[in-house]
Amino acid sequence: MTMISPLRRRLEQVFRASLSAVDPGARVRTALARPEVVTALTRRPIHVLAIGKAAFPMARAAASSLAALHGAVVGLVVAPEPGELPGFSSLVGQHPVPGEGSLLAGQSVWAMAASTPATGALLVLVSGGASALAEVYADGVIPAEGTHAISALAHRGAPIGDVNAMRRGISAIKGGRLALVCPAPVVTVAISDVVGDDLEIIGSGPTVGPWTAGEGRTIVRIDEGMHDAALRRLASEVWNRHFGRRGLPASVERHLSAPPRLGRMIDRPAD
C-alpha cells in the first residue's frame, strides 16, 4: 500500500483550496450577493454579457443567482470555445489576436450594450482573453493594421498592460467605451488574470477607464523602437484622432523609426 506523506497531503489540500478560491462560478455568486450589487440590479430587467475564457461558468453562475429575483435572464457569451447555456446566445472569438469571429462577436457585444433599455441593467462578466475575443475597431483603424499592432507588441514581449493600452487606443468597445454606449446602469464583475488587478487592464477595460491623455502617452511609449511603417502609421492615426495633432511629435517619430533595440542575451552553459 502506498503511503501518502503528511507534506504531500498538506500540499494537496492547499492545491484544492486554491482551485476552490478561484472558481469562476463561486466568485460570481459571491460578487452578486454583495448588498451594493443587489441594490443596483433590483427591480430591473437584466441583460448579461460574459466575455473571456471563463465566460461560460461565469454566465452560468450569474443566471442561477439572478433567477430567484429576476426569473430567466437573457444574455450573450463570447468564449474561445463553443458552448450552450439556456437563454443565452453564444459566439466564438479568437485569442490572443482578434480574428473574424472576434469582429463578429464585437458587433454583437456593442449591439447588446446599446440596446439595453434605460430601465434595465447590463451585467458585464469579464475574464482573461476578453481583449481579443471581441473587438470593434475605432473609426479609421483598418482591422489588419490593428491585428498587426497587437501581434507586434506581443511578439516583442511587451507587458500586458502596455499591450492592452494599445488595444484600448484602437478599439471602439474598450477603455470604458462599451459602457458609454449603454443607456442603462452597468455592473461589472471581473476575474483578474493580471498582476495588480487593474480593472482597466483586465480585458482592456470594456466598461472601465475612458480614454485619457495619459493613455495617449502610454501608447507612444510602448511603440518606441518599432521599425515598422504600418505600426508607425497606426500610432500616428490614433494620436491624431484623440489629440488633434498633425502627425506625431518629431521626437516620437524618431523613436518609431529607429531600429529595434535588442534585449540582453543570456548565455547558456554548455552541456
Side-chain angles (χ1 to χ4, degrees):
M1 183 175 67
T2 302
M3 299 296 292
I4 300 177
S5 70
L7 176 59
R8 176 172 176 172
R9 184 178 297 107
R10 180 57 178 161
L11 289 174
E12 289 179 346
Q13 291 173 345
V14 171
F15 176 71
R16 287 192 292 270
S18 299
L19 289 182
S20 177
V22 298
D23 175 74
R27 304 314 301 163
V28 168
R29 286 189 289 270
T30 298
L32 295 183
R34 295 175 60 172
E36 62 270 31
V37 176
V38 173
T39 299
L41 299 179
T42 298
R43 293 189 296 275
R44 291 178 177 274
I46 309 299
H47 289 190
V48 179
L49 173 59
I51 316 172
K53 298 175 185 177
F56 273 106
M58 293 180 77
R60 194 171 293 113
S64 62
S65 296
L66 296 171
L69 294 176
H70 302 275
V73 296
V74 298
L76 170 65
V77 176
V78 180
E81 301 292 340
E84 294 183 359
L85 182 60
F88 285 68
S89 57
S90 64
L91 294 168
V92 174
Q94 288 71 49
H95 181 273
V97 177
E100 183 177 346
S102 304
L103 300 180
L104 293 174
Q107 293 293 338
S108 295
V109 164
W110 192 95
M112 168 166 273
S115 64
T116 302
T119 55
L122 179 64
L123 174 61
V124 181
L125 309 173
V126 183
S127 57
S131 292
L133 291 170
E135 180 63 285
V136 176
Y137 286 114
D139 291 342
V141 177
I142 300 172
E145 290 189 347
T147 299
H148 175 74
I150 301 306
S151 296
L153 288 171
H155 290 163
R156 283 174 171 265
I160 187 60
D162 291 352
V163 175
N164 284 4
M166 173 61 86
R167 283 169 164 157
R168 289 193 295 271
I170 62 178
S171 175
I173 60 171
K174 296 179 173 64
R177 293 184 183 88
L178 185 65
L180 294 178
V181 305
C182 182
V186 177
V187 175
T188 301
V189 176
I191 292 182
S192 176
D193 63 338
V194 297
V195 176
D197 304 334
D198 189 337
L199 288 174
E200 293 189 20
I201 297 179
I202 303 170
S204 300
T207 59
V208 181
W211 184 272
T212 64
E215 289 250 282
R217 289 192 293 272
T218 300
I219 283 183
V220 171
R221 177 177 60 80
I222 64 178
D223 287 343
E224 289 180 0
M226 291 194 174
H227 187 61
D228 188 312
L231 186 57
R232 188 164 66 252
R233 183 170 63 254
L234 177 63
S236 181
E237 290 173 356
V238 171
W239 183 277
N240 291 339
R241 184 164 56 253
H242 293 285
F243 303 103
R245 305 239 183 137
R246 295 185 59 189
L248 292 166
S251 59
V252 174
E253 182 68 35
R254 285 195 296 272
H255 279 303
L256 294 178
S257 302
R261 293 171 295 182
L262 298 178
R264 182 172 64 89
M265 297 183 66
I266 301 176
D267 294 329
R268 180 181 177 184
D271 294 331

